[in-house]
Every structure is written in C-alpha cells, then in structure tokens.
Amino acid sequence: MIDIRRATIDDARHVSNLGAITFDQSFGHLFHDKQGLKNYLETTFDLQKIQSSIQKSSNVYWLAVDNDIPVGYSKLQLNSPSEFVKGNNVCKLQKIYFLNSYVGKGIGSRLQQLVFDEAKINNCDYLWLSALKDNKAAVRFYERNNYNIAGEHPFIIGKQKFDFWVMSKEL
C-alpha cells in the first residue's frame, strides 16, 4: 500500500535522494553534457538546500512511501506568480516525481490532488507548472487534468537549453 503524507524536515534526505534519482531517470538521457547533469543534480538536490526549502512557509511537500520506502514526492509553491498567468493568488506545482517502477500506479494523480486541495485551502486562483515540451506523456497528463498551455520558456542546464511549456489551470 502506497501512503502519501506531508513531508517534514526529517524527510529532507528522502526528497534529496528521490529528486536526483527521478530527475536522472526522467531526463538524464537528454543530456549530452553528463558533467552538466551531475552538477545540476548535486546543486539542485543538495541536502541543505532541500532542508531549507522544506522549512519555508511558502513551500509544501508530500512524500509517497511504499512499505516505508520513499518512492515519490511533490512540491507546491504558494504565492508564485508567472508572467503567463493572470490571477491574484497564483501557485506553482513545482514538482511531481516518482520512481519509474511506480508509473501507472496512480501516484501522480494522488499527489496532484493533494496539491489542488492545498492550493484551494490557500485561496489560489490559478495553479501553473513548467513541462518539458518533449515530455509528451507529462503534457498529456496535465492536459487531461484541465491544464492549458499559457506560454513557453527556455531553461538552461549546464551547456544545454531545454524548451518548456508553461501550463496553467484555474482552480
């Protein structure tokens, strides 16, 4: 049985490890510059950085656990405006990641529902996210969940440029 709970500072190591593993599983194959990928993973999922992020009142994390083994997580950023999204109180679904072996088990939908519920509790008008244009499965998942493409932006990691859709959903 997969349990999902609000993550705390005590879960920072799990989030850090899962972040690096799941990012590499999802996007590592796209990198020509493996050192750039390695540097990104070490910087972005640094334990102290994750601890600091979990402690911010504007961030809400959840952790998915299967028999005491962390398998996925999500992050909501409250009060996170985007130039592409009009609204008074805009939040960002920053991350939904889980291990590849758990794809198709409903974790993404469950994590997303928790994000929706928390955004509504915090009176968010809109929720937005960035989805890699080439990640067709993720884009379809978000479209099925009533997100619309609101814009696009590049993101540079190391020496590589990636193109992302900004997708938004009215709550």
Side-chain angles (χ1 to χ4, degrees):
M1 173 70 177
I2 298 169
D3 294 315
I4 300 177
R5 60 177 166 76
R6 185 84 57 110
T8 69
I9 191 70
D10 294 334
D11 297 311
R13 185 169 304 284
H14 298 311
V15 172
S16 172
N17 291 336
L18 275 170
I21 292 166
T22 57
F23 187 92
D24 189 35
Q25 283 181 347
S26 298
F27 306 112
H29 67 282
L30 299 173
F31 283 81
H32 308 294
D33 174 20
K34 295 303 180 187
Q35 187 60 46
L37 171 62
K38 182 178 184 287
N39 293 344
Y40 178 78
L41 295 175
E42 288 173 355
T43 302
T44 303
F45 301 107
D46 173 75
L47 179 58
Q48 288 181 333
K49 185 174 181 179
I50 298 297
Q51 288 170 332
S52 175
S53 181
I54 288 174
Q55 290 179 310
K56 289 181 182 173
S57 61
S58 59
N59 293 334
V60 183
Y61 284 81
W62 291 268
L63 186 67
V65 180
D66 185 7
N67 293 315
D68 294 326
I69 299 170
V71 298
Y73 75 103
S74 62
K75 177 185 176 187
L76 172 67
Q77 276 187 315
L78 302 171
N79 302 315
S80 183
S82 165
E83 66 181 293
F84 300 104
V85 180
K86 306 292 185 249
N88 294 323
N89 189 5
V90 179
C91 298
K92 181 180 183 185
L93 168 54
Q94 189 167 21
K95 298 179 185 332
I96 291 184
Y97 287 124
F98 45 90
L99 299 173
N100 283 350
S101 56
Y102 285 83
V103 170
K105 296 186 188 261
I107 295 173
S109 294
R110 289 176 61 199
L111 287 168
Q112 182 177 231
Q113 187 60 53
L114 289 166
V115 167
F116 289 162
D117 294 345
E118 187 69 23
K120 288 177 186 176
I121 288 168
N122 283 277
N123 299 311
C124 294
D125 304 309
Y126 283 88
L127 187 63
W128 71 278
L129 58 88
S130 291
L132 183 67
K133 285 183 175 184
D134 293 337
N135 190 347
K136 305 294 187 203
V139 171
R140 279 192 307 275
F141 173 80
Y142 293 120
E143 287 176 336
R144 281 194 313 270
N145 286 279
N146 300 314
Y147 285 86
N148 297 302
I149 293 173
E152 58 185 289
H153 68 88
F155 189 69
I156 298 182
I157 300 174
K159 298 174 184 171
Q160 289 186 245
K161 178 180 159 247
F162 298 92
D163 293 314
F164 282 81
W165 291 122
V166 173
M167 301 181 78
S168 68
K169 172 187 177 94
E170 187 172 6
L171 298 173

